[in-house]
């Protein structure tokens, strides 16, 4: 085994940076889903038909 301190993939990107990127992406997706669901509920409650 080599004595590297961090795991690096073929492109030279640290694995921790990729994990942080996907965690931020997950948080953005969760906020978008919540905002859309609140919009749908708002449209259902304020239906004028």
């Amino acid at each position: 085994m080599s004595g590297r301190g961090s795991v690096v993939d073929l492109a030279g990107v640290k694995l921790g940076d990729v994990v942080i990127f996907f965690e931020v992406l997950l948080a953005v997706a969760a906020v978008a889903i919540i905002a859309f669901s609140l919009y749908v509920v708002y449209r259902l409650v304020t239906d004028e038909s």
Side-chain angles (χ1 to χ4, degrees):
M1 285 198 136
S2 63
R4 290 185 301 186
S6 63
V7 179
V8 177
D9 66 4
L10 295 176
V13 179
K14 291 183 183 178
L15 186 60
D17 294 339
V18 176
V19 170
I20 291 173
F21 171 74
F22 279 104
E23 286 180 352
V24 170
L25 197 62
L26 178 65
V28 169
V31 169
I33 291 168
I34 291 169
F36 182 72
S37 63
L38 290 175
Y39 171 73
V40 168
V41 170
Y42 169 75
R43 289 298 304 255
L44 286 172
V45 170
T46 60
D47 190 14
E48 296 185 12
S49 60

